[in-house]
């Protein structure tokens, strides 16, 4: 069996160090906002070439807190891609604003910059870019639009730890960027975890207050905040894994290059372009008979996933908001996409077997 992913195997290389550091953590008895959170925040900010990082409870909260920190007028509109994972859209709704969906480019699966201007209204205040599957958005035209209209850019980097566009790291383009360390992400915790990175010291302080009941010091509350703290124990695990993130990305890029070189033309492959350093959080292909292909691979004991089976505008949860809208490109992607094994738990010979199975379909 070649599973789509195997998280216990993904974390196996860190097992001994996790255990020895966990024992020290246990002895110390400090569980919330201590040295580990502080250390991880510093390390992760440095990794991203940014000044500040604020650890939060998960990736969704990272985006919600980032939007809150902007204090946009009530009912502001935020532009977001129509094929993103639902969390990006939900964060805008929970932050009290209106998501305005814009179609992706059918080759990059990221927001199509040429379609953004048509979605702008007097209420538009920000663009949330999502670097889906580990590929950066085409940032130059997006930055130009944001500049021209005075919009904020918030980056959803939940799938793009270490990805680059024209040599610049994902997470460095926006006013704030939200990361998720959900266990299956390229940098994954052993539970829920997230972070916001920013270069703005005022926003950093604001985010630190909001995640901790609106408080800087114990029992003095300056704003009506929230509880979304990064757990000390998750920060410890993340701090241990972070130095290996580039190696994890290199491994995934190697596996991806095998697919890219060897899969036959029947499959629509991710585009490769020298401006983009892709980290393949997800390696997806597209095929008109996607469901039959998934079934066929499963019979050969090869696990795959679909990211995502239902387009956001077709989700029951979005019926009140988006039901009447039509997003044919997002729907086409959702109907044909299939994610192949491409994890740090896979070896090159695993991928060779998947390639041979696919080419025989
Ligand atoms: C995983 C993910 C999130 C949310 O992260 P959680 O930590 O699960 O809350 C947000 N956006 C995208 C694109 C994601 O893939």
């Amino acid at each position: 069996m070649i599973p789509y992913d195997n998280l216990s195997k993904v974390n196996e290389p860190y097992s001994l160090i996790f255990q020895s550091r966990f024992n020290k953590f246990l002895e110390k008895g400090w569980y919330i906002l201590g040295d580990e959170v502080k250390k991880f925040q510093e390390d992760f900010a440095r990794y991203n070439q940014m000044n500040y990082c604020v650890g939060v409870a998960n990736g969704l909260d990272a985006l919600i807190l980032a939007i809150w920190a902007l204090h946009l007028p009530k009912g502001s509109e935020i532009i977001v891609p129509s094929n993103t994972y639902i969390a990006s859209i939900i964060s805008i709704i929970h932050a009290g604003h209106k998501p305005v969906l814009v179609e992706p480019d059918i080759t990059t699966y990221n927001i199509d910059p040429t379609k953004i201007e048509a979605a702008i209204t007097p209420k538009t205040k920000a663009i949330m870019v999502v670097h889906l599957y580990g590929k950066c958005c085409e940032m130059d035209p997006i930055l130009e639009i944001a500049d021209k209209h005075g919009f904020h850019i918030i980056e959803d980097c939940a799938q793009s730890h270490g990805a680059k566009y024209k040599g610049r790291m994902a997470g460095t383009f926006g006013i704030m960027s939200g990361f998720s360390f959900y266990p299956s992400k390229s940098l994954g915790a052993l539970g829920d975890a997230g972070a916001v990175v920013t270069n703005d010291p005022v926003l950093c302080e604001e985010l630190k207050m909001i995640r901790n009941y609106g408080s800087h010091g114990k029992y003095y509350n300056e704003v009506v905040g929230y509880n979304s703290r990064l757990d000390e124990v998750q920060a410890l695990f993340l701090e241990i894994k972070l130095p290996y993130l580039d190696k994890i990305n290199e491994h995934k890029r190697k596996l991806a290059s095998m697919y890219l070189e060897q899969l036959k033309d029947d499959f629509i492959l991710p585009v490769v372009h020298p401006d983009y350093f892709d980290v393949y959080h997800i390696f997806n292909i597209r095929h008109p008979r996607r469901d039959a292909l998934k079934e066929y691979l499963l019979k050969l004991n090869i696990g795959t996933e679909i990211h995502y089976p239902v387009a956001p505008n077709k989700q029951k949860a979005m019926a009140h908001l988006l039901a009447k809208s039509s997003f044919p490109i997002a729907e086409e992607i959702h109907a044909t996409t299939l994610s192949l094994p491409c994890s740090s738990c896979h070896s090159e010979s695993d991928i060779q077997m998947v390639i041979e199975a696919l080419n025989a379909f």
Side-chain angles (χ1 to χ4, degrees):
M1 176 80 198
I2 301 174
Y4 175 70
D5 202 353
N6 178 341
L7 293 179
S8 124
K9 215 172 152 192
V10 161
N11 286 309
E12 202 176 72
Y14 318 101
S15 164
L16 287 178
I17 177 135
F18 278 170
Q19 290 179 45
S20 77
R21 294 283 302 273
F22 178 77
N23 285 338
K24 283 192 193 132
F25 166 83
L26 206 55
E27 277 165 27
K28 199 170 172 196
W30 189 291
Y31 309 130
I32 300 286
L33 297 185
D35 294 341
E36 309 303 341
V37 167
K38 196 161 171 270
K39 173 81 165 57
F40 176 69
Q41 288 176 168
E42 285 166 10
D43 291 354
F44 197 63
R46 193 176 319 112
Y47 177 83
N48 289 294
Q49 299 160 7
M50 295 289 280
N51 293 340
Y52 308 103
C53 167
V54 180
V56 298
N58 55 64
L60 174 66
D61 279 4
L63 297 171
I64 295 174
L65 266 60
I67 302 171
W68 277 342
L70 289 174
H71 300 287
L72 302 174
K74 226 180 151 65
S76 293
E77 293 178 1
I78 299 180
I79 288 171
V80 64
S82 57
N83 62 320
T84 184
Y85 177 56
I86 197 104
S88 329
I89 298 169
I90 285 180
S91 74
I92 298 169
I93 297 170
H94 280 312
H97 302 294
K98 186 182 170 211
V100 173
L101 274 57
V102 168
E103 288 267 71
D105 180 301
I106 189 73
T107 65
T108 65
Y109 311 127
N110 278 329
I111 194 163
D112 184 343
T114 66
K115 297 207 171 95
I116 292 176
E117 298 227 76
I120 294 171
T121 77
K123 287 185 173 171
T124 311
K125 293 288 180 281
I127 304 171
M128 182 181 288
V129 295
V130 184
H131 309 299
L132 206 68
Y133 302 155
K135 179 194 280 299
C136 281
C137 295
E138 191 186 348
M139 290 310 300
D140 279 349
I142 298 172
L143 289 166
E144 206 170 289
I145 293 165
D147 217 34
K148 180 171 146 197
H149 296 275
F151 297 158
H152 298 290
I153 290 179
I154 297 166
E155 297 178 64
D156 179 342
C157 296
Q159 302 192 2
S160 60
H161 317 68
K164 292 181 196 130
Y165 169 73
K166 297 191 173 174
R168 201 169 146 187
M169 301 279 287
T172 64
F173 298 95
I175 180 129
M176 283 171 284
S177 302
F179 286 83
S180 164
F181 309 113
Y182 183 83
S184 64
K185 310 287 183 181
S186 301
L187 179 63
L190 308 188
D192 276 312
V196 185
V197 303
T198 183
N199 274 336
D200 186 321
V202 177
L203 286 171
C204 171
E205 286 313 307
E206 171 101 14
L207 290 162
K208 282 183 175 169
M209 275 201 289
I210 302 174
R211 77 165 171 195
N212 192 26
Y213 291 117
S215 160
H216 263 316
K218 232 178 185 178
Y219 310 131
Y220 291 87
N221 305 86
E222 292 166 48
V223 295
V224 180
Y226 201 69
N227 176 357
S228 181
R229 299 174 294 230
L230 170 60
D231 274 343
E232 188 75 354
V233 71
Q234 296 303 340
L236 170 65
F237 296 137
L238 290 166
E239 181 195 317
I240 293 167
K241 286 178 83 173
L242 179 60
Y244 300 94
L245 176 56
D246 285 342
K247 264 198 201 126
I248 294 168
N249 283 340
E250 269 320 312
H251 181 74
K252 286 163 71 85
R253 278 169 55 81
K254 171 70 198 165
L255 303 182
S257 76
M258 293 176 65
Y259 284 131
L260 290 166
E261 280 160 25
Q262 297 181 53
L263 283 179
K264 63 180 182 180
D265 293 345
D266 301 33
F267 307 108
I268 301 170
L269 302 176
V271 284
V272 179
H273 186 280
D275 283 349
Y276 298 80
F277 182 86
D278 302 326
V279 294
Y280 300 101
H281 166 61
I282 287 166
F283 186 94
N284 82 313
I285 59 172
R286 289 196 300 117
H287 193 277
R289 290 173 55 225
R290 188 267 317 274
D291 293 338
L293 179 60
K294 188 175 189 351
E295 195 73 4
Y296 160 84
L297 290 169
L298 194 59
K299 283 210 181 97
L300 296 171
N301 286 318
I302 297 170
T304 56
E305 289 285 342
I306 297 171
H307 298 98
Y308 299 89
V310 181
N313 66 304
K314 295 282 184 190
Q315 294 283 0
K316 199 171 151 198
M318 296 289 143
H320 61 297
L321 227 118
L322 303 168
K324 284 195 211 88
S325 48
S326 157
F327 299 98
I329 299 174
E331 287 167 34
E332 169 72 16
I333 295 168
H334 288 77
T336 55
T337 191
L338 186 67
S339 309
L340 303 179
C342 185
S343 150
S344 57
C345 78
H346 295 117
S347 67
E348 291 178 29
S349 62
D350 290 335
I351 302 310
Q352 200 58 48
M353 279 165 69
V354 180
I355 290 169
E356 274 149 38
L358 277 162
N359 284 345
F361 178 66

